[in-house]
Each structure stands twice: as C-alpha cells, then as structure tokens.
Amino acid sequence: MAEDKKLLHQHDFDGIEENDNELPRWWLGIFWVTIIFSILYVPYYHFMYPEKLPENALMATMAAEAEAAKVEAEAAPEKTGDIEAELKTAFAAGGWEEAGKQTFNTYCAACHGPDGGGLIGPNFTDDFYIHGGKLGDIVRVTTEGVPDKGMVPWKTTLKPNQIHEVSFYIRSLRGTTPATPKDPQGQKVDEDGNFVD
Ligand code: HEC
C-alpha cells in the first residue's frame, strides 16, 4: 500500500518490516478517556468515600453486628437456657389456675382422680414421683407420656401452653388432701421435685 510505504521504518528483520501506522482516532480517544478516568477515579475511590473502602466497610459491618448482638442480648436477659427456672417463674406468676384445672378435669381426672389423688395413674398430692417432680419433669411426661405404662402422650392433643397450665396445676395439687389417696408410687422428692435418696 502506498501510504504504508511512507511509514515504513528501516527496521527489517528476516523479511519482517516494522510499520509505524498512526493509531486510529477512536482508539486513541478511548485510550485518553481511560487515562483521565483513572486519574479521577483514584482520588474519588480512596478519598471521597472512605467508608466504601473494603476494610472500612468490613469494620462497619462488624461493628453493626456486634451492636445488634448486644441489643439482642439486652432485650432477652432471661434466656439463660435454664428451663426449670423459666417454668418456676411462670408457675409463680400464676394465671394458669383456671385453665389448668379445666384441662385436668377434661383429660387427666379419669386416670389421676378428680382431685389428683390417683386412680389408674399416680397420686399427685404426695411427695412421691416415678419420673421426677420438677416442673420440667411433669411437663416432659405430660408431653411425651409413658406409653408402655398407660400414660398417654398429650403433645398431639394439647397445645404447649395447655401442657404448661395443666402441669402447673398438677404441681399445685402437691400437699393437698384428696378424698381417697392412692398409695405413693416412685421415689420421694424434695420441695423442688428432685429425688431424695
Ligand atoms: C389413661 C390414663 C391416664 C390419663 C388419661 C392420664 N394419665 Fe398421666 N399417668 C398415667 C399412668 C398409668 C401413669 C404412670 C406411668 C408410669 O408408671 O410410668 C401416669 C403418670 C403421669 C405423670 C408422671 C407421674 C410420676 O409419678 O412421675 C404425669 C406428670 C402425668 N401422668 C400427667 C398427666 C396429665 C397432665 C394428664 C392429662 C393431660 C394425664 N396424665 C392423663 C395414666 C394416665
């Protein structure tokens, strides 16, 4: 090409000639734009929004998470995982008496006696328990039952709050005097319901 000839350099190696063609304008345009962009972008990125830098963004996220965890911990200070303590608090708070009695009369009295003195099932008024006398034990046995001993699992019939209410009611029967008490079954328990030996 005639034009190429003009631009021909003297470089010639093994028949390969080096040309010095002018770069197309559109290519040069993009080239300059990228250079200008990079000059503007460095201060923009590093100095105008320092909070967007990865390290700062990470710090901010971690601080926010720590703050959220603190708020959550403060909002639920009672969540100690101590179920027995939570049940005791709910038992002491009351409000379960009427509902608990009703559930007992409907579902439990047939086997445990109308006043909890025991019939087919054990007496709830004495200090003896087969499976433990803690509130958690009563809730557990009521929920899961003792199927091979004739105690029904109530978790499919009663809602969790009903199970709590009736368990509290059973606990409140302890120390009362039924009309016809059944002989003690199981082991003696202390005030908290722990077995004493
Ligand atoms: C069909 C009869 C029957 C019914 C109805 C029944 N129980 Fe029982 N329950 C039993 C028997 C039998 C046992 C003894 C289980 C054993 O020997 O391990 C028992 C044991 C228990 C115990 C454990 C007592 C201990 O000494 O450890 C609890 C608590 C209990 N029942 C709660 C309930 C509640 C609450 C209801 C009503 C929602 C209920 N039961 C209804 C038959 C019954």
Side-chain angles (χ1 to χ4, degrees):
M1 277 185 179
E3 210 183 326
D4 284 352
K5 281 274 178 246
K6 267 196 285 167
L7 299 166
L8 193 66
H9 276 214
Q10 294 307 311
H11 302 128
D12 181 344
F13 187 80
D14 268 3
I16 299 167
E17 297 164 344
E18 183 190 351
N19 280 356
D20 190 6
N21 287 316
E22 247 185 54
L23 290 159
R25 282 184 174 276
W26 61 264
W27 193 94
L28 271 178
I30 292 171
F31 181 59
W32 282 112
V33 166
T34 60
I35 290 174
I36 293 161
F37 178 81
S38 72
I39 291 168
L40 296 175
Y41 187 69
V42 169
Y44 164 81
Y45 182 74
H46 283 274
F47 305 116
M48 282 179 68
Y49 301 101
E51 70 275 10
K52 284 192 182 168
L53 290 174
E55 198 179 335
N56 296 341
L58 176 67
M59 291 303 186
T61 309
M62 281 168 64
E65 273 171 16
E67 182 62 27
K70 209 173 109 191
V71 169
E72 204 174 305
E74 277 168 11
E78 276 121 88
K79 278 270 169 251
T80 54
D82 187 344
I83 291 167
E84 188 64 19
E86 284 173 31
L87 288 173
K88 270 187 181 170
T89 309
F91 178 69
W96 41 263
E97 293 86 348
E98 270 311 303
K101 184 177 181 172
Q102 229 167 31
T103 305
F104 183 85
N105 289 340
T106 311
Y107 298 102
C108 322
C111 289
H112 290 282
D115 50 11
L119 286 169
I120 299 163
N123 183 342
F124 288 136
T125 65
D126 58 21
D127 291 341
F128 289 78
Y129 277 89
I130 302 168
H131 301 282
K134 288 187 297 195
L135 289 167
D137 296 327
I138 300 173
V139 169
R140 191 189 68 244
V141 176
T142 303
T143 308
E144 304 296 338
V146 191
D148 49 342
K149 294 282 172 59
M151 165 62 188
V152 192
W154 291 99
K155 62 185 168 194
T156 48
T157 314
L158 301 177
K159 297 195 191 83
N161 65 317
Q162 290 180 298
I163 289 180
H164 283 128
E165 288 158 1
V166 75
S167 300
F168 293 162
Y169 180 72
I170 286 176
R171 177 62 187 83
S172 75
L173 293 175
R174 200 174 148 189
T176 60
T177 318
T180 51
K182 193 179 176 187
D183 285 343
Q185 287 168 275
Q187 258 177 281
K188 196 169 164 57
V189 296
D190 66 14
E191 184 56 29
D192 281 335
N194 296 300
F195 287 124
V196 289
D197 33 31

